[in-house]
Amino acid sequence: MEVTGIRSACIAPIRGVREVVGAVTLGRSERTEPFTTDDMLLTEDIARRAGLALDNARLYERQRRVAETMQRHLLPQLPTVPGLEMRACYVPAPDASQVGGDWYDAFVMSDGTAGLVIGDVVGHDLDAAAGMAQVCNMLRAYAGELEEPPSMVLDRLDQAVARMAEPTMATVVFARVEHANGGWQLRWTNAGHPPPLLVESDGRALFLEAASGLLLGTGHRLPREDAVVPLAPGSTVLFYTDGLIESPSHALDDGLDRLSTHAADLIGQPLTAFCDRFLASVRPADNDDDVALLVLRVPG
């Protein structure tokens, strides 16, 4: 007491669910009278609230780690497809509260065609990450079962999502990269997701806005469509989630414009360098969402 100058003190333990994690100490240096019963009750209440806040913070961080680990383990190794290059990356949200359901997938189907997927389950919590896992696995299963157009695969998936125990909604682009006339073509359908971006070798950029329909899980049964575009040598297709274009500080159109401008500027870069520099230049500084990016290139 002589060192601190405190003449009277009140100490209350900070209790967690399973253990004491600290203590609150209040001291008086100028007044000599002891703390009253009301003072001690107030100190105990402060300590109780502090313990509750610490427990919630620990639980919150544990949930964030579980969700992020789930996402990272579900994101696949990209397959090797002769005549094509692929790169992908996932960047978690900077804010723990925004752990979500963004994912990408790429696989070779039974007929040798490459399937590409980018998707986003609505929500930003562990439930969204769990829903993402289910939707991702069901889509891969349906795509590999029968050689069907992307629209029919997503129609099957939409019906399956409606039967899930927990209500789930998701946006998805599913595409097939097919041989055509000695080259390649992209056949895709879009369930409410931001449109893929096609960039030619000369820098011309085009958003693939055709074949757009409702997101999965709405309960509405509307016909889905397919669209096809040829992929010339040297062309690049970008599949991305909305965290790359949305920001509180600018309109969505501004994000899309920035996306296409930077993609055109970097099109001459090797694909690995392209992905790193593209993310660094396009992702909004005030973005609070996670980002998934899948890039396909037909070598020149």
Side-chain angles (χ1 to χ4, degrees):
M1 294 295 186
E2 294 179 358
V3 176
T4 62
I6 294 177
R7 298 187 179 186
S8 63
C10 177
I11 302 174
I14 299 175
R15 301 181 185 277
V17 174
R18 297 183 178 87
E19 59 186 355
V20 175
V21 296
V24 173
T25 301
L26 302 179
R28 287 174 173 163
S29 59
E30 296 182 359
R31 298 165 56 185
T32 58
E33 66 270 21
F35 284 89
T36 66
T37 301
D38 288 341
D39 293 334
M40 289 185 285
L41 289 175
L42 176 60
T43 304
E44 289 179 354
D45 185 59
I46 293 172
R48 180 185 62 80
R49 293 173 184 271
L52 180 62
L54 286 172
D55 268 344
N56 287 340
R58 288 179 173 180
L59 178 62
Y60 195 60
E61 176 62 18
R62 186 159 54 247
Q63 175 176 303
R64 185 197 65 80
R65 289 199 305 268
V66 169
E68 186 175 320
T69 300
M70 179 186 295
Q71 283 178 308
R72 289 193 179 279
H73 281 286
L74 284 168
L75 298 176
Q77 295 292 324
L78 299 182
T80 299
V81 180
L84 296 174
E85 296 180 20
M86 297 184 204
R87 292 290 185 277
C89 61
Y90 169 76
V91 182
D95 182 355
S97 68
Q98 296 300 312
V99 173
D102 291 21
W103 90 94
Y104 64 81
D105 199 2
F107 46 87
V108 178
M109 292 178 280
S110 58
D111 60 354
T113 301
L116 303 176
V117 180
I118 193 79
D120 185 1
V121 170
V122 175
H124 295 97
D125 51 23
L126 187 56
D127 289 338
M132 177 269 286
Q134 296 180 69
V135 175
C136 174
N137 289 328
M138 287 191 296
L139 175 52
R140 183 180 274 244
Y142 285 133
E145 180 183 5
L146 297 171
E147 299 175 9
E148 294 181 329
S151 60
M152 295 184 66
V153 172
L154 283 198
D155 188 61
R156 290 173 179 268
L157 179 63
D158 199 3
Q159 297 176 50
V161 167
R163 297 192 296 268
M164 290 173 60
E166 294 294 329
T168 300
M169 291 193 294
T171 66
V172 182
V173 174
F174 174 45
R176 293 168 54 101
V177 189
E178 306 167 339
H179 287 287
N181 302 319
W184 297 95
Q185 68 179 19
L186 186 76
R187 184 184 304 273
W188 80 95
T189 192
N190 187 338
H193 199 80
L197 178 66
L198 170 63
V199 186
E200 303 287 356
S201 59
D202 60 3
R204 288 180 298 172
L206 172 68
F207 284 105
L208 304 179
E209 297 179 318
S212 295
L214 291 176
L215 73 166
L216 306 180
T218 64
H220 296 286
R221 307 249 48 89
L222 296 177
R224 297 190 183 276
E225 299 178 350
D226 295 288
V228 180
V229 65
L231 299 178
S235 59
T236 301
V237 184
L238 285 74
F239 303 86
Y240 54 93
T241 54
D242 56 9
L244 200 56
I245 56 174
E246 291 185 349
S247 166
S249 62
H250 59 67
L252 180 60
D253 287 344
D254 295 333
L256 292 170
D257 289 342
R258 189 176 64 252
L259 183 93
S260 60
T261 299
H262 284 286
D265 290 343
L266 295 170
I267 196 61
Q269 298 288 329
L271 206 54
T272 300
F274 173 89
C275 291
D276 294 339
R277 295 177 183 178
F278 181 73
L279 271 179
S281 58
V282 175
R283 191 182 189 208
D286 56 350
N287 171 29
D288 61 356
D289 200 357
D290 47 351
V291 172
L293 175 67
L294 176 61
V295 183
L296 168 75
R297 176 171 289 175
V298 178

